[in-house]
Amino acid sequence: MPHEAARDDAGAHPVLVRMRAIRPELRPSEQRIADLFLADPAGTAGLSVAELAQRCDTSTTSVVRFCKRLGYEHVRELRNHVLRDVERETFDTAALPAVSGDIDRNDTLADIVAKVSLAETLSLADTAKVLDTESLRASVDAITSSTRVDIFGVGASSIVGLDLQRKLTRIGRTALDWSDPHAAWTSAATLGPGNVAIAVSHTGATTDTIEFLLLARQAGATTIAITNHAGAPLADQADIVLTTAARETGFRSGALGSRIAQLMVVDCIFIGVAQSNYDRSMEALRDTFAAVHRVRTAGA
């Protein structure tokens, strides 16, 4: 039953997180409903179906359809789970300054610090809840048994890919990061069984990144996607999908919440791979640290 599935999913996948995840797939009328909930969850949860429809310039039928899309049979169940999410977020951020709303042109630097720390704290907390440990284990196992790992992302996601490449290299893994799409595609086409291709994209809709994973999959490599949207086109080309739950501000071009959430996933992958051969990894980390330390000392 849809509403039972929603209840079962609520603990691991909070409803506000699911709204953000499926928003790109919704109809425009349903997106307006999601946006109202996400902007003011507690206030919106107190609205009747008719009031909600009026605020979003849509029909009550669209409101009901939106609820069913999230797995709820009745609007009151959605309201209850939204209020539960509000309580959880209040607990998760109890130690942070009380702020509300997106970053505004009149915000002070103190306001900006408070709002960025709030968004990133919630991005990490939500990602920890939605990150599937079985998929994470499958990723770690694939990388551990691979002979080569190719990584690709565009823009801010490329920074995350480079971070993973350097981490894996430090423990003796053969990992390649590609900043140029054509070079990435060329490399992906040469992959095969026993190799891994990792693509990083917040939206999961970046054409160059999708093409990279498609080519790698066609070549026989194990493909892994790190994205905020499990239903995105990138996920269709992935054998394993690792989902983040980032919160972006109006300064989306800065990739604030998405980058911090992706880096958390990358850290979990790296530690899992390192732990799979703990002694060898620790020795490699000591050796690489010593190599850098010697060079810096000699140049001092």
Side-chain angles (χ1 to χ4, degrees):
M1 296 287 289
H3 63 286
E4 290 176 348
R7 289 195 193 97
D8 294 340
D9 204 33
H13 300 281
V15 63
L16 294 177
V17 172
R18 282 184 282 141
M19 281 187 198
R20 292 187 189 90
I22 69 169
R23 188 189 178 282
E25 307 160 37
L26 299 175
R27 301 178 182 183
S29 60
E30 295 171 336
Q31 288 184 347
R32 292 196 296 274
I33 299 170
D35 290 342
L36 189 62
F37 270 107
L38 294 172
D40 181 16
T44 305
L47 299 176
S48 67
V49 174
E51 290 171 330
L52 188 53
Q54 184 179 28
R55 291 275 190 94
C56 298
D57 190 27
T58 188
S59 65
T60 55
T61 301
S62 293
V63 174
V64 173
R65 186 170 56 234
F66 173 75
C67 292
K68 291 182 182 295
R69 185 71 179 266
L70 286 164
Y72 297 97
E73 198 65 35
H74 303 288
V75 177
R76 67 173 178 273
E77 292 176 301
L78 172 61
R79 291 197 194 103
N80 290 339
H81 280 206
V82 167
L83 291 173
R84 184 185 303 176
D85 273 14
V86 171
E87 291 180 5
R88 175 186 62 82
E89 291 183 3
T90 301
F91 178 80
D92 287 343
T93 60
L96 298 175
V99 291
S100 61
D102 202 348
I103 295 172
D104 184 80
R105 70 170 68 209
N106 297 318
D107 281 342
T108 65
L109 284 176
D111 293 333
I112 292 170
V113 170
K115 290 183 177 183
V116 169
S117 63
L118 176 65
E120 295 195 353
T121 296
L122 289 172
S123 289
L124 291 173
D126 289 345
T127 297
K129 286 180 171 62
V130 304
L131 184 58
D132 182 68
T133 52
E134 290 302 316
S135 296
L136 182 61
R137 169 51 59 191
S139 300
V140 168
D141 290 345
I143 295 169
T144 300
S145 60
S146 70
T147 55
R148 170 179 145 197
V149 179
D150 278 33
I151 309 164
F152 180 69
V154 173
S157 294
S158 68
I159 299 171
V160 176
L162 179 60
D163 183 74
L164 177 58
Q165 183 268 331
R166 290 186 174 179
K167 281 182 166 70
L168 293 175
T169 299
R170 282 205 64 189
I171 57 173
R173 300 284 170 180
T174 301
L176 306 173
D177 173 74
W178 301 98
S179 58
D180 176 75
H182 288 182
W185 300 342
T186 301
S187 181
T190 68
L191 295 173
N195 300 148
V196 172
I198 302 175
V200 186
S201 172
H202 173 73
T203 64
T206 306
T207 303
D208 289 347
T209 310
I210 296 169
E211 185 68 17
F212 165 76
L213 218 58
L214 171 63
L215 289 168
R217 192 176 200 183
Q218 290 175 340
T222 298
T223 53
I224 301 172
I226 301 175
T227 180
N228 213 64
H229 305 290
L234 183 67
D236 294 337
Q237 305 304 330
D239 298 310
I240 305 166
V241 180
L242 299 175
T243 309
T244 58
R247 299 186 181 214
E248 289 295 2
T249 72
F251 288 78
R252 173 63 189 93
S253 59
L256 303 176
S258 62
R259 187 184 64 247
I260 199 72
Q262 291 166 352
L263 286 171
M264 172 189 164
V265 174
V266 161
D267 283 347
C268 290
I269 292 173
F270 166 69
I271 293 171
V273 173
Q275 193 181 47
S276 67
N277 195 333
Y278 185 85
D279 292 336
R280 176 185 168 191
S281 296
M282 292 306 295
E283 182 180 0
L285 288 171
R286 286 192 295 268
D287 289 345
T288 53
F289 175 83
V292 173
H293 183 70
R294 279 198 301 270
V295 170
R296 292 175 66 184
T297 301

